[in-house]
Amino acid sequence: AATLEAIATRSVGGVVLFSRDQPSGSPVRNIVGPQQVAELTAALQEAAASSEAALPLLVAIDQEGGLVARLDPAHGFPAAESAAELGARDDAGYTRSSSAAMAATLRAAGVNLNLAPVVDLNVNLQNPVIGALDRSFGADPRLVARQAAAFIRGQHDEGVLTALKHFPGHGSSTQDSHLSVVDVSDTWSDTELEPYRRLLADGLADTVLTAHVFNDRLDSRYPATLSAATIDGLLRDQLGFDGVVLSDDMQMGAIRQAYGYEDAVRLAIQAGVDVLTIANQQVFEPDVVERTLAIIGDLVAAGTISEERIDRSWRRIAALKERIVA
């Protein structure tokens, strides 16, 4: 009810669905089964249509395949192969058809934005959050770009938008940014940008999702999500991406434990993030959406963030929403 109200009365522009069980006693479960998810997303879109903005809602999910698939067989959905399995096969036609089948499932469930593919290079096989979970297509940037392109085209065949992640590269990390700050300064290389260069050149970047990784070769002070040098400087100015930039979950340990939330919101917006992703609010802070809106309002009122800066993100998001297939 609170989410529906926020969408209808505050024009909240997107939601992200999870299959994780909610805290004991909570009535909220995003994913129970196919019919329930379809009914849920329809109700969310109805609330968006009644809002002042009257724009369709971005309904996002992490549906990479393999171990990271929120719509999984345990909830009555078809299984999907992991990026590692698709990369090992390296058959673009097969990847595209497999991705299209996945996207058809997403469309039927009312999902229009898949937070995939992962384009991190599998340079550290023991990486606890990428390599060890088979989330990467491989270590070769050309293979990763080739497979990611096929995956994206398959999603587009069924009208589902995608997100390249985790910019500027999480594949070489030795730690999990869900838990704490991750420093890739000594392991990251410029080669990890190659899939982004290739996919941007092919016009296949719908959105880009940032990593909560610290890399002093790019910014000596802030992790990527909070780094103007990394987002506005590297991604926008050097690589030429002018689309929507999504943050990774602002509740993750790399942000939540290392920065005050108000400072993190300010820094992310100043860095060039267009959409602040806030997941698992029932676990960490049930009123975090309202709090975030208030923080942004105060930052604008104080002149810390300009209205023009907010408008820039609004225009990017509105342009993305024009591509949502009804």
Side-chain angles (χ1 to χ4, degrees):
T3 300
L4 288 171
E5 182 179 358
I7 293 168
T9 64
R10 303 300 300 274
S11 295
V12 168
V15 296
V16 56
L17 305 181
F18 283 90
S19 55
R20 184 176 303 136
D21 289 342
Q22 301 299 318
S24 177
S26 170
V28 179
R29 289 192 67 191
N30 294 161
I31 298 168
V32 176
Q35 182 176 346
Q36 169 267 335
V37 176
E39 291 173 353
L40 170 63
T41 55
L44 294 170
Q45 289 292 7
E46 185 177 347
S50 71
S51 71
E52 182 179 357
L55 291 174
L57 196 69
L58 287 171
V59 180
I61 202 166
D62 293 288
Q63 192 74 4
E64 300 168 14
L67 294 174
V68 182
R70 312 304 182 196
L71 305 184
D72 60 8
H75 295 92
F77 297 93
E81 291 169 277
S82 69
E85 291 172 313
L86 295 173
R89 183 167 182 148
D90 195 19
D91 180 335
Y94 180 83
T95 296
R96 181 169 182 167
S97 63
S98 296
S99 177
M102 174 197 289
T105 297
L106 295 177
R107 276 292 306 279
V111 174
N112 52 39
L113 174 60
N114 189 1
L115 302 179
V118 169
V119 295
D120 297 317
L121 303 188
N122 195 26
V123 292
N124 174 16
L125 301 182
Q126 306 306 315
N127 184 328
V129 73
I130 304 295
L133 299 181
D134 289 341
R135 298 175 69 192
S136 170
F137 291 112
D140 181 344
R142 292 166 298 181
L143 179 148
V144 170
R146 185 166 62 244
Q147 284 293 303
F151 182 96
I152 292 166
R153 290 187 171 105
Q155 298 284 299
H156 287 176
D157 288 343
E158 294 293 332
V160 175
L161 299 168
T162 62
L164 306 182
K165 63 185 187 185
H166 306 80
F167 186 83
H170 207 321
S172 66
S173 72
T174 59
Q175 296 171 295
D176 183 350
S177 56
H178 291 85
L179 305 177
S180 61
V181 175
V182 172
D183 190 338
V184 298
S185 303
D186 295 333
T187 57
W188 183 89
S189 74
D190 184 75
T191 305
E192 296 183 51
L193 296 175
E194 189 60 26
Y196 293 96
R197 290 191 180 98
R198 290 175 179 264
L199 294 165
L200 281 166
D202 289 341
L204 290 174
D206 300 324
T207 70
V208 173
L209 187 147
T210 62
H212 296 331
V213 294
F214 177 78
N215 185 342
D216 66 13
R217 297 167 64 182
L218 301 177
D219 190 319
S220 62
R221 187 172 182 184
Y222 296 115
T225 299
L226 311 182
S227 168
T230 303
I231 299 174
D232 274 346
L234 176 58
L235 179 59
R236 296 208 187 279
D237 294 343
Q238 294 184 39
L239 299 183
F241 180 66
D242 192 36
V244 170
V245 172
L246 312 168
S247 78
D248 208 341
D249 180 10
M250 297 293 288
Q251 300 278 34
M252 286 165 59
I255 298 297
R256 185 166 41 86
Q257 294 178 11
Y259 300 89
Y261 189 70
E262 292 187 14
D263 283 342
V265 168
R266 172 181 59 82
L267 288 166
I269 295 172
Q270 290 175 330
V273 169
D274 300 301
V275 175
L276 298 172
T277 306
I278 307 166
N280 301 306
Q281 61 262 38
Q282 293 296 326
V283 176
F284 296 113
E285 186 180 350
D287 298 327
V288 69
V289 172
E290 287 296 328
R291 181 185 173 203
T292 305
L293 291 170
I295 290 169
I296 296 171
D298 289 346
L299 289 168
V300 173
T304 305
I305 292 174
S306 69
E307 290 188 15
E308 193 277 332
R309 167 67 192 88
I310 301 298
D311 287 344
R312 226 168 27 242
S313 286
W314 169 258
R315 289 193 295 271
R316 292 188 186 112
I317 295 165
L320 181 69
K321 289 188 173 189
E322 287 180 0
R323 298 175 54 203
I324 291 176
V325 177

